[in-house]
Amino acid sequence: MATTVGHALAGVDCLLIYRAINPSKNVKLGVLSLLGMMFFANAPDLDIIVSAFLSNDHLKYHGQQSHMPFYMLFFSLMMALLLLKTPLRSFTNYSLGEQSYKTVFSLVFIALLSHSVLDLFTGPLRGLHNSFGTPILAPFWPDRVSSPITLLIGPHHDTADRFFDWYNVWVVLSELLIFVPITFMILLLSKKMR
């Protein structure tokens, strides 16, 4: 899995790309819309919290159902309903602008899906090494799918000591070196397209 920072920046990139290819939707680019996309891009990793409550092992259920696009579709449908059919609609309209169910569903789904795509290319070493894999084809294919190329280095998160070590600082910095230039390029290109 990539770090929270990498997933968050991928969520921002998803919003920027969506706005660029759908200019007629007038999706707002503000603090709340950015934070929302960052949250949804990281949401599949909330299974670590669920694992900690349900067992003594915080990684027991990590990287399973919450990382499957099939469940992401269901979650996106539920979130779009929640954000548009409840009192949260005024908050959603404030943060995204007046949007349709399809637009909110699409934004939530691509943010969630970006998580599994990043995890598909995350492994122990960069280069021509198999990634850790993700259940991106489940429930239709029971095995984790691994990429033969690793683009991102997975952080250590098995213990608190390893989570807060210098290795993970390097992993976050390397993701910033990858994603920040990509984000700025997308922002510049999207401004030219609008």
Side-chain angles (χ1 to χ4, degrees):
M1 80 178 238
T3 68
T4 303
V5 172
H7 286 303
L9 288 173
V12 169
D13 292 347
C14 288
L15 178 63
L16 293 174
I17 292 169
Y18 188 87
R19 289 180 77 241
I21 61 177
N22 295 297
S24 63
K25 303 285 186 189
N26 290 324
V27 175
K28 285 184 183 178
L29 181 63
V31 173
L32 292 175
S33 59
L34 291 171
L35 289 175
M37 291 299 281
M38 289 178 185
F39 171 78
F40 287 120
N42 276 291
D45 280 342
L46 294 176
D47 60 4
I48 291 175
I49 297 169
V50 173
S51 294
F53 281 113
L54 296 179
S55 71
N56 290 333
D57 181 9
H58 68 284
L59 297 176
K60 184 172 183 174
Y61 303 111
H62 179 60
Q64 295 178 25
Q65 282 83 5
S66 66
H67 287 63
M68 296 178 189
F70 180 76
Y71 290 101
M72 291 175 181
L73 279 170
F74 176 74
F75 186 73
S76 299
L77 288 168
M78 294 298 106
M79 287 309 301
L81 280 172
L82 178 70
L83 292 171
L84 293 176
K85 302 295 183 189
T86 67
L88 290 174
R89 181 171 182 81
S90 59
F91 173 76
T92 306
N93 290 343
Y94 176 76
S95 58
L96 290 174
E98 188 74 32
Q99 299 301 328
S100 69
Y101 180 82
K102 182 180 173 184
T103 300
V104 174
F105 165 80
S106 299
L107 287 169
V108 172
F109 182 69
I110 62 172
L112 291 168
L113 189 61
S114 74
H115 188 100
S116 286
V117 171
L118 282 190
D119 282 0
L120 181 64
F121 294 100
T122 302
L125 298 167
R126 266 194 202 92
L128 295 174
H129 305 283
N130 281 343
S131 68
F132 295 133
T134 187
I136 201 159
L137 298 178
F140 310 107
W141 183 268
D143 301 327
R144 294 174 77 82
V145 177
S146 294
S147 167
I149 299 170
T150 296
L151 302 174
L152 302 169
I153 301 169
H156 294 153
H157 51 66
D158 50 344
T159 66
D161 289 339
R162 286 175 46 112
F163 183 76
F164 294 106
D165 68 6
W166 286 107
Y167 172 84
N168 284 352
V169 171
W170 162 245
V171 171
V172 169
L173 289 174
S174 69
E175 286 181 358
L176 286 170
L177 289 172
I178 293 169
F179 283 106
V180 168
I182 291 171
T183 302
F184 279 116
M185 285 182 359
I186 293 170
L187 185 61
L188 291 174
L189 289 173
S190 67
K191 283 185 177 181
K192 287 182 181 179
M193 292 174 68
R194 292 186 134 246

